[in-house]
Amino acid sequence: MKRKVVFVVAAVSALLLTSCSQINSAAKVGKTEITNNQVQSTINSILKERSKFDTQNQNLPTKADLTLSAVRFHVISAIFDALAKGAQLKITDGVTTKKREEILAQLGSADNLPQALVKASIAQKDFDRYVRTIVIIEKMGQILAAAGDKSTDGSGIQKLVIAAAKREKVEINPRYGTWNYTTGTIDPVSSTAPVK
C-alpha cells in the first residue's frame, strides 16, 4: 500500500512539474525552450526604447501582435541555430562583430541604432542575437548557392526553415498561436479568441 501511495505521489508531482513547464514555456524548438520570461523581457525592452522616440506615425506592432512578433523572433533564431549546428557552421565572435560593424556602417553610426531597432521592433537586448541570425542566414544562402540554388526571393532559405522545423519539432504555447509547418511561421490565435 505504501509503495502505491509513493508511486501516485511521484506521478502527480511529475505531472505538476510538466504542467508548470508548459505554463512557463512560450515555445520549444527541439530541446530549446523559449520561456514566457524571455518573451516578456524582449517586449519590455522594445517598449522601453519606443518611449524615447516619437512613434505616432509609425505602424508598429502592439499588444498581441507585438507579443507574437517577440515569440516569432526567438523561435526563428532557435531554428537557425539548429540549421547552423546541422551544417556544422562555426559562428565566431569575430564574424558577428564584423557583421555588427557592417550594420552600423549602413545606419551611418552607432547613434542611429536605437531608432532603427525601434522601427524594426527588435529589442536592444536581442541585437547580438539578431546579428548572429543574420550571419547564419547569409552562410546558409552561400551553401544553397554553391549547391545550385538560384532563388533571390528568400524561398530557398524558407525551405530550409520549414525542413529544420519539421526535423526539430516546433511547439508553440496555444495562447500565442500554432506553428505552421507549410509556411514556416506562427499562425496567430483567432482575433476573436480571448487574450490571456
Side-chain angles (χ1 to χ4, degrees):
M1 184 67 180
K2 246 184 187 179
R3 282 185 183 176
K4 282 186 178 178
V5 171
V6 170
F7 176 79
V8 170
V9 170
V12 170
S13 297
L15 184 62
L16 287 173
L17 286 173
T18 304
S19 300
C20 289
S21 173
Q22 291 172 343
I23 289 169
N24 292 325
S25 178
K28 280 186 79 175
V29 178
K31 293 182 179 178
T32 302
E33 183 176 7
I34 297 152
T35 67
N36 286 319
N37 286 341
Q38 280 177 275
V39 172
Q40 191 58 54
S41 179
T42 289
I43 294 168
N44 291 345
S45 177
I46 290 171
L47 294 177
K48 181 180 177 183
E49 289 304 308
R50 278 187 191 177
S51 68
K52 300 174 184 177
F53 301 95
D54 179 7
T55 60
Q56 280 187 341
N57 297 322
Q58 296 178 32
N59 188 24
L60 301 176
T62 58
K63 298 180 181 176
D65 289 337
L66 178 58
T67 300
L68 184 63
S69 175
V71 174
R72 187 184 293 119
F73 171 82
H74 286 287
V75 169
I76 294 296
S77 295
I79 290 173
F80 276 108
D81 279 347
L83 278 170
K85 185 177 180 181
Q88 296 183 325
L89 297 179
K90 302 293 183 188
I91 312 298
T92 64
D93 289 343
V95 170
T96 54
T97 297
K98 183 180 178 184
K99 176 52 63 177
R100 182 187 176 97
E101 289 170 353
E102 286 175 12
I103 292 171
L104 294 179
Q106 289 169 3
L107 294 174
S109 78
D111 293 340
N112 297 327
L113 179 62
Q115 191 163 15
L117 292 178
V118 165
K119 288 180 179 177
S121 289
I122 297 170
Q124 274 219 353
K125 64 178 283 299
D126 294 329
F127 182 55
D128 288 343
R129 179 80 164 142
Y130 169 80
V131 171
R132 174 184 165 81
T133 302
I134 292 297
V135 168
I136 295 171
I137 290 171
E138 290 180 352
K139 286 186 176 292
M140 295 308 297
Q142 291 165 7
I143 291 171
L144 284 173
D149 181 75
K150 297 190 184 331
S151 64
T152 56
D153 58 356
S155 58
I157 294 291
Q158 186 182 22
K159 287 176 185 175
L160 289 179
V161 169
I162 290 169
K166 285 179 180 176
R167 187 170 59 251
E168 295 293 320
K169 303 296 183 213
V170 177
E171 298 174 29
I172 306 295
N173 187 318
R175 71 188 287 191
Y176 303 123
T178 55
W179 181 258
N180 187 320
Y181 281 98
T182 302
T183 61
T185 189
I186 302 171
D187 288 339
V189 292
S190 168
S191 56
T192 57
V195 177
K196 296 179 183 177

